[in-house]
Amino acid sequence: MNIHQERMRVPIKDSQLLSRLLAYAKPYWKMVLLGIVLAFLIVLTDLARPYLLKVAIDDHIGALHKPMLAVDAGREDLLAGRGSILEVDGKAYVRLPADAAPPPEKEGVAQRQIVEIGDDAYLIEGWLKGKETPAVTENPAGGVTLASGGQSYAGTLLSPEQTEAFRKEDRGSFVTIGLAFLAVVAAGSLLTYVQGNLLQYTGQSIIFNIRQQLFNHLTKLSMSYYDRNPAGRIVVRVTQDTEALNQLYSQVVVNLVKDVIVLIGILVIMLQMSVKLSLLAFAVLPVLAFMTFWYRSIIREGQRKARLILSRLNSFLAENLSGIRITQLFIREQRQVEQFDELNHSYYRAGMFTSTVNSIFQPAIGFLGNLAIALLIWYGGIHVIDGTITFGIVFAFTQYIRQFFQPLLSLAEKYNQIQTAMVGAERIFEMLDEKPGIVDSPMARPLQGETRGEIEFDHVWFAYNEGEWVLKDVSFKIEPGQTIAFVGATGAGKSSIIQLINRFYDIQQGSIRLDGVDIREIPLDDLRRRISVVQQDVFLFTGDIASNIRLNNEDISDRELQEAARMVHLDEFIRSQPDGFATRLGERGITLSLGQRQLLSFARAIAFKPQILILDEATSNIDTETELVVQDALQSISKGRTTVIVAHRLSTIQHADQIIVMHKGKVREMGNHYQLLARKGYYHRLFELQYKEQARAQSTAPHAQSTAR
Ligand SMILES: Nc1ncnc2c1ncn2[C@@H]1O[C@H](COP(=O)(O)OP(=O)(O)O)[C@@H](O)[C@H]1O
Ligand SMILES: [Mg+2]
């Protein structure tokens, strides 16, 4: 059943993909059309080159021996429409094609031909039909007789000057044809340049839009999407897959048209020049075409594998470099290096496979092409001597056969690129089709005026993955302006509660209310604007200190910026930096200590002047001395706003108005520090434990505490 579904799905999907891809190209259809027109012109210049050579060879280089018609000067009218006229020694000549049939006898029109024997050229009366070199006998009365094939012709020996006179026009033509050839080549290059730029521009513009749309979309996707998709994979999609699409738009489509025109053009010209030689060429070309496509399909498979490995390699790198701290901490470098080695090796092998196949097939295909040319020389040569085919045509054929290759190879290649692009497109569209899990409800109304900051969890049930309850029937109420703390073992669900307040995930049952309004009925922007969260891992963006605090929010004035920094006691440090607030962070900038990063994230939270401030283990990175500073800062920032603190160190939260003890997704105890201690329950045990630990730590290793992370 599955297989059938697959089969039924694929064609529909492909056509859908195509129509979506076309939709992106639609605004640029004029460019694409122009690209195709240019492609057509480029093909013309490509095909014109061998043709010009053929003309040069047949009509000029080898033209001296062509059958001619001659008339006396002044009677040129008899030759009208027969071709261009050569004037030599008071007579007018016209050259005819080598295989021309003698025209009907006409008064005053004579047949003439030039025959070269050794270094001598003779002008004979009549057309020499024999194939052997004629025998020459001198007539005592002057002139010569040439005998060949049982026929004899009267003739005269031409002086070098006379021969030159017959050649004169040819020499002129070489210049003309040479210039025309040059012009064609130049035009071809120019058109290719213009077309290349045009297509690049088109492709890049389309992809620019797609990438933009993709990124916009990505910023809206819910956290659960990012839980499912590692960042490395997403990066690969946004970069590699869009690049594959770029290829599709900028090269594949238009050049596909071009290749087809070239192939058809060559076939037409060949057939028109010589049917016999065309048939000969066609005997080899199908084999060539077959070989080419076979070869491309092997290569394609190899490249597909290579790309797969590459994207795995990329993800691995992205993931491991961002987790390098952990890797080093847990001394897992060796293991990671081994894994990388493995991936690296398979990538190497994949690359080697393609080049091995290349090294076998390319010469083989080259051989076939040359075989076709050898056949042409053999067969064509015979017929040139016959006089049934001109040398120029044989020569042009060798050129056209060579030219036939290029589009054939590139068609096979295009097929490959289209496949890649389709896969890329599919993945990109899949990403674009991913509905943001969390969206504004149609009934969402902005909150009126200032938030009071009352948060209420009402019988909340929540699971990241269906069936695995992380929060079970959690209820509590935080009054406006209160400071409330969550404690509990790792995995108890504290961070989850915080993510829910921000609505990074939607709950399955119950209700979360801000100022009495279910947060699902508050516009997301509106909700999140009122809440600032400080987490344990601080993410710093590339940029300076100021932009990392205000996160490009222009509403935050410099004064507010300084105020925020002062409140977390970072102002002195910042002032001591070379560029103050404009000091760059991270790459090519200064590195902050973990504690400083944490303080910076506090400043960030404060600068946004939230009504609700949430600290999720935000003080864990801070040493005891700095913590005193932060405690002090906390006191002042928590004034007048609802503050939610998750902390390991109970000392941090002792002054909270309410402490909620979480255990395995449930609220275990609730009350202030003294009430909870008096209950002698879970909190009490935790307190005792930490108290003892602290005492021990202080007595044995007084410095450990202040440097601990
Ligand atoms: N993004 C997530 N996807 C799936 N499970 C998660 C996710 N985040 C946390 N969990 C699980 O939810 C439970 C509660 O985690 P968390 O709220 O982070 O606990 P705490 O902050 O108290 O240590 C844990 O079992 C954890 O494995
Ligand atoms: Mg947590």
Side-chain angles (χ1 to χ4, degrees):
M1 193 193 85
N2 260 336
I3 296 167
H4 285 289
Q5 273 184 345
E6 270 300 297
R7 275 201 193 135
M8 302 222 337
R9 245 188 53 217
V10 169
I12 301 170
K13 267 213 129 164
D14 265 4
S15 64
Q16 275 178 349
L17 269 183
L18 271 179
S19 68
R20 281 181 82 165
L21 284 171
L22 281 179
Y24 281 103
K26 209 169 163 195
Y28 301 92
W29 70 269
K30 280 184 192 157
M31 310 256 175
V32 175
L33 195 70
L34 186 59
I36 291 176
V37 171
L38 287 178
F40 194 80
L41 294 178
I42 293 170
V43 170
L44 282 185
T45 66
D46 280 347
L47 298 185
R49 276 180 280 134
Y51 194 84
L52 281 175
L53 291 180
K54 181 223 159 218
V55 170
I57 292 172
D58 283 351
D59 296 353
H60 301 289
I61 295 178
L64 199 60
H65 317 290
K66 281 191 170 182
M68 296 185 290
L69 296 176
V71 294
D72 287 333
R75 294 307 313 273
E76 283 88 352
D77 55 299
L78 292 171
L79 299 177
R82 289 249 164 216
S84 62
I85 289 170
L86 311 168
E87 301 272 359
V88 181
D89 286 347
K91 287 204 180 247
Y93 297 85
V94 148
R95 285 173 180 160
L96 298 184
D99 53 353
E105 294 277 337
K106 216 180 196 178
E107 186 69 29
V109 179
Q111 299 181 1
R112 292 284 182 275
Q113 189 168 10
I114 294 173
V115 178
E116 273 177 304
I117 299 168
D119 288 339
D120 298 330
Y122 301 92
L123 181 66
I124 61 167
E125 295 170 13
W127 289 357
L128 186 68
K129 288 289 176 212
K131 287 170 190 82
E132 299 102 51
T133 315
V136 186
T137 44
E138 293 213 17
N139 298 337
V144 290
T145 303
L146 270 70
S148 164
Q151 275 193 294
S152 53
Y153 308 87
T156 46
L157 180 68
L158 290 174
S159 66
E161 290 75 33
Q162 283 172 315
T163 317
E164 193 48 41
F166 278 103
R167 277 285 193 202
K168 193 165 170 263
E169 210 138 302
D170 293 332
R171 288 190 194 278
S173 315
F174 293 145
V175 177
T176 323
I177 293 178
L179 285 178
F181 193 86
L182 209 65
V184 162
V185 171
S189 314
L190 188 71
L191 287 173
T192 308
Y193 170 79
V194 172
Q195 193 215 30
N197 276 335
L198 178 82
L199 293 180
Q200 269 308 325
Y201 168 79
T202 311
Q204 294 287 5
S205 308
I206 296 174
I207 294 308
F208 176 87
N209 293 338
I210 294 182
R211 225 183 281 129
Q212 195 79 32
Q213 192 189 0
L214 207 54
F215 188 72
N216 278 348
H217 185 71
L218 280 173
T219 57
K220 290 198 203 88
L221 289 182
S222 57
M223 287 306 131
S224 58
Y225 179 78
Y226 291 97
D227 290 347
R228 277 180 281 123
N229 297 283
R233 191 192 299 168
I234 298 175
V235 169
V236 168
R237 288 193 185 178
V238 176
T239 53
Q240 274 185 12
D241 289 349
T242 54
E243 195 42 44
L245 273 191
N246 181 18
Q247 297 271 322
L248 182 75
Y249 286 116
S250 61
Q251 310 201 353
V252 179
V253 176
V254 174
N255 286 332
L256 199 72
V257 177
K258 184 177 152 194
D259 291 340
V260 172
I261 303 176
V262 172
L263 291 184
I264 294 176
I266 291 179
L267 291 184
V268 169
I269 294 181
M270 277 180 161
L271 279 171
Q272 181 261 332
M273 277 185 176
S274 163
V275 177
K276 269 193 265 178
L277 279 188
S278 303
L279 291 179
L280 185 80
F282 295 160
V284 179
L285 289 178
V287 184
L288 200 66
F290 171 76
M291 282 270 288
T292 309
F293 273 79
W294 184 34
Y295 154 70
R296 288 310 315 183
S297 74
I298 294 180
I299 286 283
R300 178 170 63 244
E301 185 53 29
Q303 285 174 338
R304 199 188 60 79
K305 262 194 210 134
R307 246 194 318 276
L308 201 75
I309 298 170
L310 182 65
S311 88
R312 248 188 251 148
L313 200 69
N314 278 340
S315 309
F316 184 87
L317 261 182
E319 207 167 286
N320 277 276
L321 289 183
S322 53
I324 191 112
R325 190 183 302 275
I326 306 289
T327 308
Q328 293 184 351
L329 268 178
F330 287 85
I331 326 173
R332 301 291 294 164
E333 293 101 316
Q334 193 50 40
R335 179 76 201 105
Q336 306 300 73
V337 166
E338 278 163 23
Q339 274 187 27
F340 182 79
D341 221 41
E342 233 174 85
L343 278 171
N344 202 11
H345 254 101
S346 19
Y347 190 55
Y348 166 80
R349 276 194 302 271
M352 280 312 288
F353 172 78
T354 353
S355 49
T356 310
V357 171
N358 265 334
S359 65
I360 295 171
F361 268 87
Q362 295 226 344
I365 288 176
F367 174 79
L368 262 185
N370 285 318
L371 181 71
I373 289 171
L375 280 176
L376 265 180
I377 291 175
W378 164 72
Y379 186 81
I382 292 175
H383 286 82
V384 168
I385 292 178
D386 262 6
T388 42
I389 296 174
T390 64
F391 173 64
I393 288 182
V394 176
F395 182 77
F397 260 70
T398 61
Q399 298 293 303
Y400 282 126
I401 284 194
R402 273 189 206 288
Q403 281 195 356
F404 205 81
F405 255 121
Q406 205 47 51
L408 212 59
L409 267 175
S410 102
L411 269 183
E413 169 103 29
K414 297 276 139 40
Y415 178 73
N416 180 10
Q417 284 179 329
I418 289 176
Q419 299 260 307
T420 314
M422 287 306 231
V423 172
E426 198 170 350
R427 294 201 293 200
I428 287 173
F429 289 146
E430 192 184 277
M431 210 143 122
L432 282 174
D433 288 345
E434 178 81 30
K435 294 266 172 308
I438 310 277
V439 286
D440 284 349
S441 118
M443 296 181 307
R445 272 172 294 109
L447 287 175
Q448 299 300 316
E450 285 283 293
T451 325
R452 287 180 295 125
E454 178 197 277
I455 301 169
E456 187 180 1
F457 271 52
D458 186 2
H459 299 284
V460 168
W461 288 76
F462 169 67
Y464 291 98
N465 306 310
E466 214 182 305
E468 299 166 20
W469 295 112
V470 168
L471 295 183
K472 299 168 214 164
D473 201 27
V474 171
S475 295
F476 59 82
K477 187 167 178 183
I478 307 173
E479 300 295 341
Q482 262 193 345
T483 296
I484 189 165
F486 286 93
V487 292
T490 304
K494 307 174 299 281
S495 298
S496 303
I497 288 179
I498 282 157
Q499 310 235 51
L500 290 183
I501 298 177
N502 271 294
R503 211 179 153 214
F504 276 140
Y505 301 87
D506 270 337
I507 56 174
Q508 279 82 8
Q509 274 180 53
S511 169
I512 300 173
R513 286 188 282 268
L514 175 64
D515 290 357
V517 183
D518 192 304
I519 57 170
R520 281 169 293 201
E521 266 140 45
I522 303 172
L524 266 183
D525 284 358
D526 204 24
L527 173 72
R528 290 184 187 158
R529 191 175 310 126
R530 288 157 205 271
I531 305 170
S532 277
V533 182
V534 181
Q535 284 174 314
Q536 183 174 6
D537 357 300
V538 180
F539 190 84
L540 295 179
F541 295 91
T542 312
D544 57 14
I545 294 181
S547 69
N548 259 292
I549 294 180
R550 57 156 75 105
L551 297 179
N552 299 327
N553 183 343
E554 298 304 331
D555 292 345
I556 298 171
S557 71
D558 285 352
R559 245 189 48 94
E560 286 168 317
L561 199 70
Q562 284 157 13
E563 172 71 11
R566 199 187 50 74
M567 277 176 94
V568 299
H569 304 275
L570 256 186
D571 49 343
E572 230 167 89
F573 167 74
I574 293 174
R575 247 181 279 124
S576 74
Q577 291 309 307
D579 296 326
F581 276 94
T583 306
R584 290 187 65 83
L585 295 181
E587 271 180 70
R588 277 178 286 147
I590 58 163
T591 315
L592 298 181
S593 74
L594 283 179
Q596 285 164 335
R597 283 163 161 251
Q598 201 68 64
L599 290 176
L600 191 129
S601 73
F602 275 100
R604 189 187 279 172
I606 298 164
F608 275 75
K609 293 205 166 51
Q611 277 96 4
I612 298 164
L613 179 68
I614 299 177
L615 311 176
D616 188 358
E617 312 209 355
T619 49
S620 313
N621 284 333
I622 297 177
D623 56 66
T624 334
E625 282 146 59
T626 318
E627 198 194 346
L628 286 179
V629 173
V630 171
Q631 284 282 3
D632 176 58
L634 255 181
Q635 291 268 317
S636 45
I637 40 189
S638 64
K639 227 170 261 154
R641 51 171 63 104
T642 307
T643 310
V644 178
I645 304 175
V646 177
H648 268 310
R649 254 179 251 148
L650 297 187
S651 55
T652 321
I653 56 163
Q654 268 176 31
H655 307 294
D657 299 306
Q658 219 187 149
I659 296 168
I660 299 178
V661 182
M662 296 294 300
H663 184 65
K664 294 188 176 164
K666 285 185 180 158
V667 176
R668 176 83 165 250
E669 292 167 6
M670 221 186 295
N672 68 28
H673 180 66
Y674 300 103
Q675 290 166 336
L676 289 176
L677 279 186
R679 274 182 68 152
K680 296 228 180 278
Y682 189 89
Y683 183 82
H684 182 256
R685 267 209 308 285
L686 213 61
F687 183 76
E688 297 256 273
L689 223 65
Q690 280 203 0
Y691 187 75
K692 274 187 210 146
E693 224 169 67
Q694 215 166 336
R696 198 172 51 233
Q698 268 163 7
S699 66
T700 55
H703 301 297
Q705 185 82 22
S706 57
T707 50
R709 286 184 178 145

